[in-house]
Amino acid sequence: AFASRAPVGRRSFFLGGALPVAGVLCAGSLALVAVAAPRGGAVGMESRQDELKKQVGYKAVDDYVRSGMVVGLGTGSTAYFAVERVGQKLASGELKDIVAVPTSKRTQEQAEKLGIPLATLDTHPKLDVAIDGADSVDPALNLVKGGGGAHFREKIVEATATTFVVIVDDSKLCAEGLGPHFPVPVEIVPFCHEHTARVIGALPALQGLGCRPVLRLGSADNNKVDGDKPAVSDNGNYILDLHFTKPMKDARAVAEQLKSTIGVVEHGLFVGMASVVLIAGK
């Protein structure tokens, strides 16, 4: 079991009534559940990953979203399918009286096209459930998020959720710890951003980890390259990507020191926030 706590039980379930898979329940409020991967050597890697993302996104909505809930909608290629599923179930009448809080402009646009009623934390400050993907997951269910540049909005929304469901495929697991698997994004104000980058690189918790702060260029979601112009988040800020050569031994200490740095708006370490992680894989 990819979890730091002792398993207290095991259950099996089916996807589409066809593929039996086992899930391991862990002590406390954290759980790790696996869903089945598509099989067949003819399936390309990209198609396989998309199918895994779709399966886990749909399962999260099917298992955790009920009529009358206030739902946080995540951002990214995996969360896209969860948003799609909410729209499908609203259109079919399986779900009713749903209000959703999007975590980015991209998610807002997708939800509006699907006819999902939207709100903000200003009017709905408490969420029943939030569903989102992650770029890395460690054995303690700590996360790296923000590859799409939306981690500030994701964190402020998902911190209000009673249940935070994380959905990933098996390529996102990093058993050795966070850091080398995927860069940690840090949203910073543009003013004196080079100075802020130097201060971050000198933080005590980052020493010995081979940390190298790199200003993200192009688009905030890493999908476009626009010369040497810094990527700009939905909030109008820059993003530093922290590249590590060694895994973090204390993700919480890193998170706290980043958060206390002047010039930092928010970082992509989500420590102790996940209620459950759903993993699609073989």
Side-chain angles (χ1 to χ4, degrees), residues 261-274:
T261 300
I262 298 173
V264 170
V265 177
E266 192 53 81
H267 55 77
L269 288 170
F270 285 52
V271 178
M273 290 182 60

PDB file of all heavy atoms in Angstrom, residues 261-274:
ATOM      1  N   THR A 261       7.929  33.844   3.549  1.00  0.00           N
ATOM      2  CA  THR A 261       8.843  34.679   2.777  1.00  0.00           C
ATOM      3  C   THR A 261       8.097  35.862   2.158  1.00  0.00           C
ATOM      4  O   THR A 261       7.092  35.680   1.465  1.00  0.00           O
ATOM      5  CB  THR A 261       9.514  33.862   1.659  1.00  0.00           C
ATOM      6  OG1 THR A 261      10.241  32.775   2.245  1.00  0.00           O
ATOM      7  CG2 THR A 261      10.467  34.724   0.846  1.00  0.00           C
ATOM      8  N   ILE A 262       8.585  37.062   2.412  1.00  0.00           N
ATOM      9  CA  ILE A 262       7.969  38.258   1.833  1.00  0.00           C
ATOM     10  C   ILE A 262       8.097  38.209   0.314  1.00  0.00           C
ATOM     11  O   ILE A 262       9.168  37.951  -0.225  1.00  0.00           O
ATOM     12  CB  ILE A 262       8.640  39.527   2.379  1.00  0.00           C
ATOM     13  CG1 ILE A 262       8.444  39.619   3.894  1.00  0.00           C
ATOM     14  CG2 ILE A 262       8.070  40.779   1.704  1.00  0.00           C
ATOM     15  CD1 ILE A 262       9.219  40.759   4.538  1.00  0.00           C
ATOM     16  N   GLY A 263       6.991  38.445  -0.363  1.00  0.00           N
ATOM     17  CA  GLY A 263       6.964  38.384  -1.820  1.00  0.00           C
ATOM     18  C   GLY A 263       6.296  37.127  -2.341  1.00  0.00           C
ATOM     19  O   GLY A 263       5.915  37.064  -3.514  1.00  0.00           O
ATOM     20  N   VAL A 264       6.155  36.118  -1.477  1.00  0.00           N
ATOM     21  CA  VAL A 264       5.480  34.881  -1.869  1.00  0.00           C
ATOM     22  C   VAL A 264       3.980  35.023  -1.630  1.00  0.00           C
ATOM     23  O   VAL A 264       3.543  35.361  -0.523  1.00  0.00           O
ATOM     24  CB  VAL A 264       6.024  33.672  -1.080  1.00  0.00           C
ATOM     25  CG1 VAL A 264       5.148  32.444  -1.305  1.00  0.00           C
ATOM     26  CG2 VAL A 264       7.455  33.390  -1.489  1.00  0.00           C
ATOM     27  N   VAL A 265       3.194  34.768  -2.674  1.00  0.00           N
ATOM     28  CA  VAL A 265       1.745  34.780  -2.546  1.00  0.00           C
ATOM     29  C   VAL A 265       1.252  33.423  -2.052  1.00  0.00           C
ATOM     30  O   VAL A 265       0.503  33.331  -1.088  1.00  0.00           O
ATOM     31  CB  VAL A 265       1.088  35.117  -3.907  1.00  0.00           C
ATOM     32  CG1 VAL A 265      -0.434  35.063  -3.796  1.00  0.00           C
ATOM     33  CG2 VAL A 265       1.542  36.490  -4.381  1.00  0.00           C
ATOM     34  N   GLU A 266       1.681  32.359  -2.721  1.00  0.00           N
ATOM     35  CA  GLU A 266       1.331  31.001  -2.305  1.00  0.00           C
ATOM     36  C   GLU A 266       2.239  30.004  -3.007  1.00  0.00           C
ATOM     37  O   GLU A 266       2.751  30.271  -4.085  1.00  0.00           O
ATOM     38  CB  GLU A 266      -0.131  30.692  -2.629  1.00  0.00           C
ATOM     39  CG  GLU A 266      -0.669  29.428  -2.000  1.00  0.00           C
ATOM     40  CD  GLU A 266      -0.447  29.387  -0.494  1.00  0.00           C
ATOM     41  OE1 GLU A 266      -1.235  29.997   0.258  1.00  0.00           O
ATOM     42  OE2 GLU A 266       0.543  28.733  -0.090  1.00  0.00           O
ATOM     43  N   HIS A 267       2.444  28.855  -2.371  1.00  0.00           N
ATOM     44  CA  HIS A 267       3.273  27.801  -2.949  1.00  0.00           C
ATOM     45  C   HIS A 267       2.415  26.585  -3.269  1.00  0.00           C
ATOM     46  O   HIS A 267       1.258  26.488  -2.833  1.00  0.00           O
ATOM     47  CB  HIS A 267       4.404  27.410  -1.996  1.00  0.00           C
ATOM     48  CG  HIS A 267       3.922  27.007  -0.633  1.00  0.00           C
ATOM     49  ND1 HIS A 267       3.357  25.784  -0.371  1.00  0.00           N
ATOM     50  CD2 HIS A 267       3.895  27.693   0.546  1.00  0.00           C
ATOM     51  CE1 HIS A 267       3.008  25.714   0.900  1.00  0.00           C
ATOM     52  NE2 HIS A 267       3.324  26.862   1.483  1.00  0.00           N
ATOM     53  N   GLY A 268       3.000  25.651  -4.006  1.00  0.00           N
ATOM     54  CA  GLY A 268       2.258  24.486  -4.471  1.00  0.00           C
ATOM     55  C   GLY A 268       2.381  23.254  -3.603  1.00  0.00           C
ATOM     56  O   GLY A 268       2.033  22.152  -4.055  1.00  0.00           O
ATOM     57  N   LEU A 269       2.853  23.389  -2.366  1.00  0.00           N
ATOM     58  CA  LEU A 269       2.876  22.267  -1.429  1.00  0.00           C
ATOM     59  C   LEU A 269       1.554  22.232  -0.665  1.00  0.00           C
ATOM     60  O   LEU A 269       1.204  23.189   0.019  1.00  0.00           O
ATOM     61  CB  LEU A 269       4.045  22.399  -0.456  1.00  0.00           C
ATOM     62  CG  LEU A 269       5.435  22.159  -1.037  1.00  0.00           C
ATOM     63  CD1 LEU A 269       6.506  22.549  -0.029  1.00  0.00           C
ATOM     64  CD2 LEU A 269       5.606  20.701  -1.458  1.00  0.00           C
ATOM     65  N   PHE A 270       0.830  21.127  -0.789  1.00  0.00           N
ATOM     66  CA  PHE A 270      -0.427  20.949  -0.075  1.00  0.00           C
ATOM     67  C   PHE A 270      -0.172  19.878   0.983  1.00  0.00           C
ATOM     68  O   PHE A 270      -0.239  18.679   0.710  1.00  0.00           O
ATOM     69  CB  PHE A 270      -1.526  20.504  -1.039  1.00  0.00           C
ATOM     70  CG  PHE A 270      -2.052  21.600  -1.941  1.00  0.00           C
ATOM     71  CD1 PHE A 270      -1.193  22.384  -2.697  1.00  0.00           C
ATOM     72  CD2 PHE A 270      -3.415  21.838  -2.031  1.00  0.00           C
ATOM     73  CE1 PHE A 270      -1.670  23.380  -3.533  1.00  0.00           C
ATOM     74  CE2 PHE A 270      -3.906  22.838  -2.865  1.00  0.00           C
ATOM     75  CZ  PHE A 270      -3.036  23.623  -3.612  1.00  0.00           C
ATOM     76  N   VAL A 271       0.150  20.319   2.176  1.00  0.00           N
ATOM     77  CA  VAL A 271       0.585  19.423   3.248  1.00  0.00           C
ATOM     78  C   VAL A 271      -0.567  19.165   4.217  1.00  0.00           C
ATOM     79  O   VAL A 271      -1.147  20.100   4.774  1.00  0.00           O
ATOM     80  CB  VAL A 271       1.793  20.015   4.001  1.00  0.00           C
ATOM     81  CG1 VAL A 271       2.212  19.104   5.148  1.00  0.00           C
ATOM     82  CG2 VAL A 271       2.960  20.240   3.038  1.00  0.00           C
ATOM     83  N   GLY A 272      -0.907  17.890   4.406  1.00  0.00           N
ATOM     84  CA  GLY A 272      -1.942  17.529   5.353  1.00  0.00           C
ATOM     85  C   GLY A 272      -3.338  17.941   4.941  1.00  0.00           C
ATOM     86  O   GLY A 272      -4.229  18.046   5.788  1.00  0.00           O
ATOM     87  N   MET A 273      -3.575  18.158   3.653  1.00  0.00           N
ATOM     88  CA  MET A 273      -4.885  18.645   3.195  1.00  0.00           C
ATOM     89  C   MET A 273      -5.745  17.541   2.592  1.00  0.00           C
ATOM     90  O   MET A 273      -6.968  17.610   2.654  1.00  0.00           O
ATOM     91  CB  MET A 273      -4.700  19.768   2.174  1.00  0.00           C
ATOM     92  CG  MET A 273      -4.174  21.059   2.766  1.00  0.00           C
ATOM     93  SD  MET A 273      -4.028  22.392   1.535  1.00  0.00           S
ATOM     94  CE  MET A 273      -5.727  22.552   0.984  1.00  0.00           C
ATOM     95  N   ALA A 274      -5.147  16.539   1.993  1.00  0.00           N
ATOM     96  CA  ALA A 274      -5.920  15.521   1.270  1.00  0.00           C
ATOM     97  C   ALA A 274      -6.694  14.624   2.234  1.00  0.00           C
ATOM     98  O   ALA A 274      -6.134  14.108   3.202  1.00  0.00           O
ATOM     99  CB  ALA A 274      -4.991  14.676   0.401  1.00  0.00           C
TER     100      ALA A 274
END
